[in-house]
Amino acid sequence: MVANSVNIPGINIGSLIVREFKRSGMTQVEFARRLNIPPSNVTRIFKKETIETSKLIELCGILDYNFFSDYCGDSDNAKNGYSLNREIQIGTNIESRLRNIKMTQVEFANHLGVKQPVVSRILKKESIDTGRLIEISNILDYNFFSDFYESNLSDGNKEKASSQSETPMSDSSLKQWGRILKRNEELVSENAKLKEYLREVYSQMQKFKQDNDISIDNWDTLIKREGIDVMNMATFFFLEANIKKILDEPEQTDSSEIIAKE
């Protein structure tokens, strides 16, 4: 086991869920409806000491509270300061941590007290029990709960938080920003390719209009022409107008340019 500096608070998740449920003013019937469970099963949720991360993500959205922050000792910001990261593939994150600290799956299995095939299944999981995740966090000296939330503070609150703590950005936050920036760059590239394709389509539409003396301005005369399909022609003009609207939109700013400005 690596030297441990992780300090995850003891959490009874059922108690926290009860607390936030009472704060919400929601009835048990409404709560059950949103969870898509029978009302009689709500009490079971309230009595849970641990819970699957996928279910906890669902509860975060229903109760407007990021429970993952509590596992990071950051409950002050759980309501308004942080938004939920729903795209975590927990098995992938655990596998990445194993590589970073150069621990084999067999060694990890020994620390967990399980066989290696169990570890293989864990590394494929999208969701995991919070009790097990605490155990894994302690073994690998990394708080995986921190991957489930990201800062969403306003500029004013960010300055306030910064003045209260000079703690450097965590590895998980850096990785999350890296994923966001990478995806933004991918979207910029995809958007540019789409616009190039639409420019070609728009050009062909203009040539078709010119070759066939077609214009929406002479619609009344146009629909009286022999062989004209009114619905197809209406669709043509509708698409033309919307393609032009897309092409007239300003280009999306590249993420690297945003960083440079900041």
Side-chain angles (χ1 to χ4, degrees), residues 218-230:
N218 61 350
W219 174 258
D220 291 340
T221 302
L222 180 63
I223 59 177
K224 294 177 182 178
R225 284 191 194 178
E226 186 178 351
I228 289 291
D229 187 312
V230 176

Side-chain angles (χ1 to χ4, degrees), residues 65-194:
Y65 181 90
N66 196 327
F67 293 99
F68 292 96
S69 294
D70 286 273
Y71 290 93
C72 302
D74 197 22
S75 57
D76 289 344
N77 290 313
K79 186 70 175 176
N80 299 314
Y82 290 84
S83 60
L84 188 64
N85 185 352
R86 298 175 180 271
E87 299 181 356
I88 293 299
Q89 302 291 319
I90 192 61
T92 301
N93 287 22
I94 294 171
E95 186 175 22
S96 176
R97 179 60 178 169
L98 285 173
R99 287 197 301 268
N100 288 341
I101 64 175
K102 297 180 172 59
M103 182 182 290
T104 67
Q105 290 189 26
V106 173
E107 290 173 327
F108 183 41
N110 290 336
H111 288 307
L112 275 176
V114 299
K115 300 295 184 181
Q116 191 276 331
V118 175
V119 168
S120 295
R121 290 195 291 272
I122 288 174
L123 300 185
K124 295 177 182 178
K125 283 180 174 289
E126 296 182 2
S127 176
I128 193 169
D129 181 78
T130 54
R132 177 65 95 179
L133 193 56
I134 289 175
E135 185 180 6
I136 292 173
S137 295
N138 287 328
I139 291 172
L140 301 184
D141 192 31
Y142 179 87
N143 192 330
F144 290 97
F145 293 93
S146 66
D147 292 343
F148 287 89
Y149 70 93
E150 56 188 356
S151 176
N152 192 34
L153 293 169
S154 65
D155 291 339
N157 286 333
K158 283 180 181 176
E159 292 175 3
K160 181 179 179 181
S162 177
S163 66
Q164 292 173 342
S165 173
E166 297 299 328
T167 303
M169 186 178 288
S170 67
D171 289 345
S172 62
S173 297
L174 287 171
K175 286 191 294 184
Q176 177 63 17
W177 275 111
R179 287 194 292 267
I180 293 172
L181 292 176
K182 181 180 179 181
R183 183 54 184 154
N184 185 65
E185 290 168 358
E186 291 172 350
L187 290 173
V188 170
S189 176
E190 291 169 5
N191 188 53
K193 291 178 181 178
L194 174 61

Side-chain angles (χ1 to χ4, degrees), residues 48-82:
K48 284 183 175 290
E49 295 184 6
T50 63
I51 197 169
E52 282 286 318
T53 52
S54 58
K55 180 61 69 174
L56 194 55
I57 287 174
E58 186 178 1
L59 287 162
C60 288
I62 292 171
L63 296 175
D64 190 27
Y65 181 90
N66 196 327
F67 293 99
F68 292 96
S69 294
D70 286 273
Y71 290 93
C72 302
D74 197 22
S75 57
D76 289 344
N77 290 313
K79 186 70 175 176
N80 299 314
Y82 290 84

Side-chain angles (χ1 to χ4, degrees), residues 184-250:
N184 185 65
E185 290 168 358
E186 291 172 350
L187 290 173
V188 170
S189 176
E190 291 169 5
N191 188 53
K193 291 178 181 178
L194 174 61
K195 280 198 170 183
E196 187 62 33
Y197 170 74
L198 290 178
R199 286 191 187 95
E200 178 62 25
V201 172
Y202 188 74
S203 176
Q204 293 177 8
M205 295 177 86
Q206 300 313 300
K207 186 176 186 304
F208 175 79
K209 287 172 59 179
Q210 184 177 1
D211 292 346
N212 295 276
D213 190 25
I214 292 174
S215 171
I216 195 170
D217 295 331
N218 61 350
W219 174 258
D220 291 340
T221 302
L222 180 63
I223 59 177
K224 294 177 182 178
R225 284 191 194 178
E226 186 178 351
I228 289 291
D229 187 312
V230 176
M231 288 302 297
N232 283 344
M233 194 53 55
T235 302
F236 176 91
F237 286 122
F238 174 80
L239 290 174
E240 179 195 29
N242 280 277
I243 290 174
K244 186 177 188 305
K245 183 178 179 181
I246 293 172
L247 294 177
D248 288 343
E249 290 177 352

